[in-house]
Amino acid sequence: MSQLTNLYLSGNNLNRQRPDSLGNMSQLTSLDLSGNQLTSTIPSSLFALPSLINIDLSDNKLQGPIPGSVYELQNLTDLVLSSNNLSGVVDLDKLLKLKNLYHPDPSYNGLSLNINNSVNSTLTNFHTIGLASCNLSAFPNFLREQAGLRSLDLSNNKIHGEVPKWLFHVGKDSLYDLNLSHNFLTNLKCLPWQNLANIDLHSNLLRGPLPISPNTTIVFSISNNKLSGEIPPLICGLISLQVLDLSNNNLSGLIPQCLGNLSNSLSVLNLGINSFSGTFTATFTKGNILRNLNLNGNQIEGQVPPSLLNCECLEVLDLGKNKINDTFPHWLETLTELQVLVLRINRFHGHIGTSKTKGNYPFPKLRIIDISCNEFTGLLPTNYIKQFGAMMNVDEHVKLTYMGQTYYQDSVVVVVIKGNEIKLSRILTVFLIIDFSRNKF
């Protein structure tokens, strides 16, 4: 096929064989072999094709170094090699000299970058930069020149200290995606980018108050840091917010009531493992799309907010390890999408009876229920347990998947299995738990 210009074979099961025959396609401009099972090294002949513009070999099992011939591809615009087993050194200075390149992505391999911060990269206007898991120890200086950058991923590196002020001018009016997670950053005073939508800063060492993101924010994850102080009410002005994850910090004070006003756009609200106190008074309106509410590990008092009845899309409700003083919230039975209910280590009390709804199972999709370490009394509600319909349906051919959507995977902070507390960072859809222990049944 010597005249072929575009070849797309992504998302198949191609494996083992080296794509040597592609070296004969002298007119090839676009090649996409992503999402296969290729295990070989990358043949040098592939990167010697003079017409190549777009290359995507991501999500395979390719090994060995990146052929040096890649630095000769003067027409190259996209070089996507992420999520393989590649090793060796990438000479980033040589890549910067490819003046048409606007999307380099060698992320999530075993590669190391050779960077000379004195190289002038003003001829290169990158659109997307993916340098995750590249053993970086500092912000590369070439970023200073990238005024039109739209996406920057420097996650899973070894970058320490304060975010430099010059980074605030990188893509100030264009940056859409920013991922600095899994580093050792200590200070980020503001998020000045005007059009930022997706912000991932989780798993750093960030201290001080919560930085407020721009009004364009859709996903804001800043969990697993050392932030302190209260949630500023300004956060309720983020009318496009879909995911807000502030978990595992030192935040305190009352949870702003106005967060309920965001429930028409908000899908995930995770405030777990902080020091929030008082009653949770957010009011969720009818027609909201809230899917995951996690308040685990705080000092919330009062009762379960009755407006949760309006959360018809709710799949995960985790109120564990608080000071909630209430009876069992039977009215949650009507939430037909609820799959995870965690009320453990609170002050719940009273009897748990059978469902009063004739002909319908209570909690039809419930797969994890943990009401342990409370003060429930009466007979063990075996008849109630027998009606958990989703726990009876066994599909031998079910595919192992995790709860949550592609942009946010659900987690349960702690479950107890055979007396041991185990943290679930992800929830398999076939995982079933009933824990009624440490009560007064």
Side-chain angles (χ1 to χ4, degrees):
M1 298 184 181
S2 59
Q3 302 302 310
L4 193 68
T5 58
N6 301 284
L7 179 60
Y8 304 109
L9 294 172
S10 62
N12 283 286
N13 290 310
L14 302 176
N15 55 40
R16 289 191 297 276
Q17 294 182 348
R18 281 163 53 98
D20 291 312
S21 58
L22 298 177
N24 300 323
M25 298 181 179
S26 58
Q27 303 302 313
L28 199 64
T29 60
S30 296
L31 174 65
D32 188 349
L33 299 177
S34 62
N36 281 284
Q37 301 291 323
L38 298 173
T39 57
S40 65
T41 57
I42 302 174
S44 298
S45 58
L46 177 60
F47 281 175
L49 297 174
S51 301
L52 268 180
I53 296 176
N54 307 299
I55 303 174
D56 191 346
L57 302 178
S58 62
D59 295 301
N60 279 284
K61 299 176 182 178
L62 293 167
Q63 303 174 20
I66 299 174
S69 52
V70 70
Y71 305 121
E72 306 300 323
L73 297 175
Q74 294 300 316
N75 297 318
L76 197 62
T77 61
D78 295 82
L79 178 63
V80 185
L81 305 174
S82 57
S83 301
N84 280 285
N85 298 319
L86 299 172
S87 57
V89 178
V90 176
D91 196 333
L92 190 61
D93 299 337
K94 289 183 178 180
L95 280 181
L96 294 178
K97 294 179 181 179
L98 299 178
K99 57 185 178 182
N100 292 312
L101 186 66
Y102 68 82
H103 181 192
D105 190 354
S107 299
Y108 301 108
N109 283 284
L111 297 166
S112 294
L113 297 186
N114 182 19
I115 303 176
N116 181 357
N117 277 336
S118 64
V119 170
N120 186 341
S121 60
T122 55
L123 295 177
T124 304
N125 292 310
F126 291 116
H127 179 281
T128 300
I129 295 177
L131 298 178
S133 295
C134 287
N135 291 307
L136 293 174
S137 58
F139 288 94
N141 265 350
F142 79 89
L143 293 176
R144 293 174 183 261
E145 311 296 337
Q146 306 309 316
L149 194 65
R150 284 185 53 81
S151 178
L152 177 62
D153 186 355
L154 299 178
S155 62
N156 288 275
N157 280 294
K158 301 172 183 177
I159 304 175
H160 287 72
E162 186 172 348
V163 176
K165 292 181 181 179
W166 60 258
L167 191 70
F168 298 153
H169 300 283
V170 174
K172 187 171 184 179
D173 297 319
S174 59
L175 198 65
Y176 187 85
D177 296 298
L178 177 65
N179 190 346
L180 303 178
S181 64
H182 288 285
N183 279 286
F184 300 91
L185 302 174
T186 57
N187 196 350
L188 178 62
K189 295 181 179 179
C190 61
L191 293 164
W193 295 275
Q194 300 297 315
N195 295 293
L196 205 53
N198 302 311
I199 307 167
D200 193 347
L201 302 170
H202 81 274
S203 301
N204 277 284
L205 302 172
L206 295 172
R207 297 178 180 274
L210 177 70
I212 296 301
S213 56
N215 292 335
T216 52
T217 304
I218 296 174
V219 176
F220 187 18
S221 175
I222 196 168
S223 61
N224 292 287
N225 280 284
K226 299 178 182 297
L227 299 173
S228 58
E230 300 184 356
I231 299 178
L234 286 174
I235 202 167
C236 298
L238 306 181
I239 58 175
S240 300
L241 197 62
Q242 295 180 15
V243 174
L244 179 61
D245 188 351
L246 310 181
S247 61
N248 286 275
N249 278 286
N250 298 319
L251 298 169
S252 59
L254 300 176
I255 298 174
Q257 184 176 359
C258 60
L259 282 175
N261 300 334
L262 297 177
S263 56
N264 288 330
S265 65
L266 202 62
S267 173
V268 175
L269 177 59
N270 189 346
L271 305 179
I273 316 300
N274 279 285
S275 298
F276 294 116
S277 58
T279 57
F280 182 64
T281 57
T283 301
F284 300 104
T285 57
K286 287 187 176 181
N288 72 76
I289 60 170
L290 190 68
R291 192 183 61 78
N292 182 324
L293 176 61
N294 189 336
L295 303 179
N296 189 296
N298 285 284
Q299 300 175 38
I300 306 297
E301 301 175 353
Q303 298 179 327
V304 180
S307 66
L308 285 175
L309 197 59
N310 294 326
C311 301
E312 297 179 357
C313 301
L314 197 65
E315 297 178 9
V316 177
L317 177 60
D318 190 345
L319 303 178
K321 208 170 182 181
N322 279 287
K323 298 178 179 179
I324 299 174
N325 191 338
D326 200 354
T327 56
F328 185 75
H330 290 282
W331 43 271
L332 290 176
E333 293 178 8
T334 59
L335 299 181
T336 57
E337 299 300 319
L338 193 65
Q339 300 180 44
V340 177
L341 176 61
V342 178
L343 305 177
R344 69 188 303 262
I345 313 182
N346 274 285
R347 297 171 182 172
F348 285 96
H349 54 273
H351 290 241
I352 298 179
T354 56
S355 173
K356 297 180 180 180
T357 307
K358 294 183 179 180
N360 295 317
Y361 285 133
F363 304 113
K365 292 188 177 181
L366 197 66
R367 296 182 295 100
I368 295 176
I369 180 169
D370 186 348
I371 61 171
S372 62
C373 303
N374 280 287
E375 299 174 6
F376 289 114
T377 56
L379 293 174
L380 187 71
T382 53
N383 290 333
Y384 202 70
I385 295 173
K386 288 178 181 179
Q387 297 184 70
F388 292 153
M391 299 194 187
M392 307 178 208
N393 299 324
V394 179
D395 185 353
E396 296 180 357
H397 306 288
V398 67
K399 184 178 179 180
L400 292 180
T401 57
Y402 292 97
M403 282 190 66
Q405 303 176 15
T406 55
Y407 57 84
Y408 187 88
Q409 290 193 319
D410 298 323
S411 65
V412 170
V413 177
V414 171
V415 295
V416 177
I417 299 177
K418 295 186 177 180
N420 297 314
E421 288 192 348
I422 297 175
K423 182 177 180 179
L424 298 180
S425 58
R426 296 188 293 176
I427 308 173
L428 273 170
T429 53
V430 296
F431 200 52
L432 309 177
I433 291 178
I434 299 175
D435 193 347
F436 283 20
S437 63
R438 298 193 220 180
N439 280 286
K440 298 179 180 179
F441 291 119

